Amino acid sequence: MSLRIVVCVKYVPDATGDRHFAEDLTTDRDAVDGLLSELDEYAVEQALQIADAADDAEITVLTVGPEDAKDALRKALSMGADKGVHVEDDDLHGTDVVGTSLVLAKAVEHVGYDLVLCGMASTDGTMGVLPAILAERLGVPQVTLLSEVAVADGTVTGRRDGDAASEQLQAQLPAVVSVTDQSGEARYPSFKGIMAAKKKPVESLDLSDLGIDADEVGLGGAWTKVEDAAKRPERTAGTIVKDEGEGGKQLAEFLVSQKFI
Amino acid sequence: MAEVLVYVDHVDGAVRKPTLELLTLARRVGEPVAVALGNGAADTAATLAEHGAVKVLTADAPEFAEYLVVPKVDALQAAYEAVSPAAVLVPSSAEGKEIAARLAVRIGSGIITDAVDIEAGADGPVATQSVFAAAFTTKSRVSKGTPVITVKPNSAPVEAAPAAGAVEALSVTFGDAAKGTKIVSRTPRESSGRPELTEAAIVVSGGRGVNGAENFHVIEELADSLGAAVGASRAAVDAGWYPHSNQVGQTGKSVSPQLYVANGISGAIQHRAGMQTSKTIVAVNKDPEAPIFDLVDYGVVGDLFQVVPQLTEEVKARKG
Ligand SMILES: Cc1cc2nc3c(=O)[nH]c(=O)nc-3n(C[C@H](O)[C@H](O)[C@H](O)COP(=O)(O)OP(=O)(O)OC[C@H]3O[C@@H](n4cnc5c(N)ncnc54)[C@H](O)[C@@H]3O)c2cc1C
Ligand SMILES: Cc1cc2nc3c(=O)[nH]c(=O)nc-3n(C[C@H](O)[C@H](O)[C@H](O)COP(=O)(O)OP(=O)(O)OC[C@H]3O[C@@H](n4cnc5c(N)ncnc54)[C@H](O)[C@@H]3O)c2cc1C
């Protein structure tokens, strides 16, 4: 039977742009160009490698996001994924991680899955918890933050490099897996891949398709509330000296003046 | 006074510093009740009591070491049900965040991750977050259920606040999901003998400018003279010059020391994301246009191979 892989990818504002908050204290998505979260490219890459190693596999890329989030799906499709699913609904604006995970869980079940692959964290919210919550909601094993992953005979194995130790993990499919940026460089879409992606199917779903009430998600349904967002004050300009042979000593003087030495 | 659950990060009974910082924050919101799990759990009690824990709930079972994350969620949930706390605070390690997040969904609560401060508020604790690579500071609150908040290291001082710290055994029943992901083997990370990167008061980092693994001793020697931890940029890590466990930035560790010393690091946004909240920042870089200089309190434009060894010698001389 075909291995059904669903890769969750997020469409995010470019981190190198000047990111802002909108008036309702949600992410201002108009201020900066959006793209496929770079850390989710690693998940797409691992999905492609796992699919290559399997006899038969199908990769669906799934995103929850505004209309432009289709760009993220196209990028993943041009890397080689087979089809896309886009959950889009005006009522999703301002959804927190609890709501997003609910939508993703329902969507993953709608598609059907043996393996769900995620990135280690988004580059905007950066919480790094969505895969764990997804596993909790789906009631399947959580095999997260892997820097190495393999799937064979219905079992997923991988290495998780933690703070105190590096652990070898193992779980039965179906499972939710997340991979880090140490898992292997993501491929660039080829010209052929980009052309092919244009013809690949993308299914659009809204909340009612997934049986989710509008008041379970969005800014109103969120279980967290941002009360204030302020630009961090600019750091006061520091002293910059050119090394004329005494730079190390001058730096030492500064550290003494600040009582670090 | 309401009780606040504090999840204890410890290694065989030795409490890690971020947990003691959490106790400081927890005392602003209520009476800290600590939850310590796994091998050595009961040995944490004395330290936790010194820093304000009125109670220490402990549980040990083989499941904590043999299966990933979920057994700890089961235990924290048991503690939550036993205590009915006003808030649950967890250190923002990768594992801590995952435990907190699963708990939040189970108990029907919102979650805030990576807080850098917590204050009591009229509608419950208010968490400060530093977001968009530290370009913005937000204040947020959990508006449904019992606030679950994870807190970054170095967010609060460690304070002595003697309390009873009475040890109580926590009874835990593991659910069906607890044995989902087996930890087949574990290789402890070798200790460098230097302070823990995320906990260190001073971090000395090297980037692509260090130009080779064989040159990193220049960075290590400065770090050792200052009693600092060693960090590295992703460029240095990707080149194989320094271990990934020392990477500072978005996909590495996030640090917030008293002093950050960046050597041969340009200051890309993803690097800044991991160090911009440091109190004092200094840099050595040969390019006067390097973006890192926008952040510094003191910068030296020069060759790190000249400047850094001279600084190390000065530090050593002054420390005698
Ligand atoms: C600066 C900032 C701070 C925030 N803080 C909080 C907070 O403290 N609490 C809270 O509840 N919400 C918070 N949010 C909202 C939260 O980021 C979103 O709800 C988000 O969809 C889920 O969190 P994340 O992006 O951090 O995901 P992470 O947990 O970092 O994402 C991990 C992986 O999950 C998958 N994934 C995440 N989002 C999607 C998606 N929309 N579609 C498909 N796959 C996805 C990807 O594979 C991704 O790599 C914050 C948002 C921002 C911008
Ligand atoms: C999704 C994503 C996540 C990322 N995560 C991280 C992360 O966690 N951490 C991180 O660091 N990066 C991260 N990056 C990479 C980041 O964008 C930069 O590429 C990286 O930080 C550059 O490292 P660097 O400053 O050491 O190298 P460079 O940018 O090449 O800078 C080297 C600097 O050294 C100076 N130099 C050279 N020789 C000398 C000398 N002899 N003396 C003094 N100065 C010298 C140069 O002037 C230059 O400024 C990430 C990127 C992406 C896309």
Side-chain angles (χ1 to χ4, degrees):
Chain A
M1 209 188 83
S2 169
L3 180 71
R4 295 165 303 168
I5 306 175
V6 180
V7 190
C8 298
V9 298
K10 190 176 184 187
Y11 178 74
V12 298
D14 186 348
T16 58
D18 191 10
R19 292 176 294 181
H20 273 86
F21 285 89
E23 254 172 55
D24 64 356
L25 301 182
T26 62
T27 310
D28 185 347
R29 292 177 175 272
D30 298 328
V32 177
D33 286 345
L35 46 75
L36 167 63
S37 177
E38 283 144 313
L39 295 172
D40 292 345
E41 290 182 21
Y42 295 92
V44 176
E45 176 63 35
Q46 289 309 310
L48 292 167
Q49 291 190 20
I50 290 167
D52 274 345
D55 290 342
D56 182 22
E58 185 179 51
I59 303 174
T60 305
V61 286
L62 164 65
T63 195
V64 175
E67 187 179 353
D68 292 346
K70 277 199 178 59
D71 294 354
L73 291 180
R74 286 289 164 216
K75 171 94 186 259
L77 291 171
S78 68
M79 288 171 73
D82 300 305
K83 61 189 179 73
V85 172
H86 182 192
V87 185
E88 185 195 354
D89 199 308
D90 288 344
D91 290 326
L92 281 168
H93 175 78
T95 306
D96 66 0
V97 76
V98 173
T100 305
S101 62
L102 174 71
V103 178
L104 282 172
K106 296 271 191 200
V108 162
E109 279 170 337
H110 167 90
V111 173
Y113 69 100
D114 300 298
L115 175 67
V116 180
L117 266 167
C118 295
M120 62 188 288
S122 70
T123 59
D124 59 348
T126 72
M127 296 180 75
V129 299
L130 200 131
I133 302 182
L134 203 50
E136 174 75 34
R137 287 193 184 277
L138 295 170
V140 302
Q142 162 195 342
V143 199
T144 47
L145 299 173
L146 302 184
S147 43
E148 242 172 51
V149 60
V151 172
D153 305 325
T155 302
V156 52
T157 53
R159 195 182 80 234
R160 171 172 164 122
D161 295 321
D163 273 353
S166 173
E167 296 165 332
Q168 204 63 41
L169 305 180
Q170 183 185 312
Q172 296 301 311
L173 297 183
V176 175
V177 168
S178 77
V179 297
T180 73
D181 64 335
Q182 299 294 300
S183 60
E185 227 22 72
R187 69 194 64 185
Y188 286 103
S190 64
F191 179 68
K192 215 172 119 218
I194 293 169
M195 294 316 285
K198 296 192 167 136
K199 296 197 193 75
K200 289 178 179 172
V202 174
E203 183 186 8
S204 281
L205 300 172
D206 62 16
L207 289 173
S208 64
D209 293 325
L210 296 173
I212 297 171
D213 279 346
D215 56 13
E216 291 181 81
V217 295
L219 208 47
W223 295 0
T224 46
K225 189 172 188 317
V226 181
E227 302 200 313
D228 185 47
K231 213 169 162 50
R232 191 184 166 79
E234 300 281 331
R235 292 187 82 102
T236 42
T239 310
I240 305 209
V241 299
K242 194 171 176 317
D243 178 35
E244 311 274 8
E246 299 281 298
K249 289 187 181 150
Q250 287 167 288
L251 190 44
E253 287 298 338
F254 172 77
L255 296 182
V256 169
S257 76
Q258 300 297 307
K259 310 215 167 16
F260 288 114
I261 307 176
Chain B
M1 201 179 185
E3 294 176 311
V4 175
L5 273 191
V6 172
Y7 182 85
V8 177
D9 190 359
H10 70 100
V11 181
D12 299 330
V15 180
R16 293 182 61 183
K17 189 166 148 250
T19 301
L20 303 180
E21 297 162 8
L22 270 192
L23 288 170
T24 300
L25 295 173
R27 285 190 295 111
R28 295 185 190 162
V29 188
E31 289 195 321
V33 174
V35 183
L37 307 175
N39 184 39
D43 301 339
T44 60
T47 310
L48 297 169
E50 274 168 44
H51 296 90
V54 295
K55 239 188 277 176
V56 181
L57 307 179
T58 63
D60 193 10
E63 281 82 353
F64 294 128
E66 290 173 5
Y67 299 94
L68 192 72
V69 173
V70 187
K72 292 170 181 163
V73 182
D74 289 349
L76 190 56
Q77 186 180 4
Y80 166 82
E81 281 160 7
V83 172
S84 301
V88 182
L89 307 186
V90 181
S92 263
S93 62
E95 184 186 64
K97 287 203 279 189
E98 293 185 331
I99 294 169
R102 293 187 71 136
L103 176 79
V105 172
R106 278 192 193 180
I107 65 175
S109 292
I111 172 163
I112 292 172
T113 53
D114 295 322
V116 296
D117 199 7
I118 294 177
E119 289 158 77
D123 304 310
V126 177
T128 306
Q129 284 169 298
S130 180
V131 306
F132 292 156
F136 279 81
T137 305
T138 60
K139 290 200 188 290
S140 307
R141 178 165 77 65
V142 170
S143 48
K144 180 168 179 296
T146 303
V148 178
I149 303 174
T150 79
V151 182
K152 282 195 185 189
N154 277 344
S155 294
V158 173
E159 290 171 3
V167 178
E168 274 177 33
L170 176 69
S171 120
V172 183
T173 320
F174 296 112
D176 290 343
K179 295 188 178 183
T181 305
K182 188 157 179 51
I183 301 173
V184 181
S185 65
R186 176 182 280 119
T187 317
R189 194 149 59 76
E190 269 176 51
S191 164
S192 63
R194 298 191 177 90
E196 191 62 41
L197 185 56
T198 54
E199 299 171 15
I202 304 179
V203 175
V204 177
S205 289
R208 200 194 304 273
V210 176
N211 200 25
E214 67 280 10
N215 299 332
F216 246 87
H217 69 93
V218 173
I219 304 299
E220 292 182 331
E221 281 156 19
L222 174 59
D224 291 341
S225 75
L226 290 163
V230 175
S233 74
R234 177 154 121 176
V237 170
D238 281 354
W241 304 341
Y242 223 67
H244 179 253
S245 51
N246 295 72
Q247 182 176 315
V248 171
Q250 190 186 349
T251 54
K253 299 278 160 54
S254 169
V255 302
S256 195
Q258 296 298 318
L259 172 65
Y260 189 85
V261 187
N263 303 291
I265 293 176
S266 62
I269 185 84
Q270 296 91 351
H271 189 78
R272 293 157 76 138
M275 47 68 71
Q276 197 159 347
T277 56
S278 305
K279 306 294 173 298
T280 299
I281 298 173
V282 304
V284 179
N285 194 305
K286 66 180 184 191
D287 175 10
E289 303 296 325
I292 191 79
F293 285 126
D294 296 340
L295 299 183
V296 299
D297 297 286
Y298 199 91
V300 179
V301 179
D303 182 355
L304 74 89
F305 295 105
Q306 304 297 322
V307 178
V308 174
Q310 189 180 67
L311 172 59
T312 307
E313 285 315 309
E314 272 308 294
V315 176
K316 282 191 193 155
R318 284 168 192 266
K319 284 198 168 174

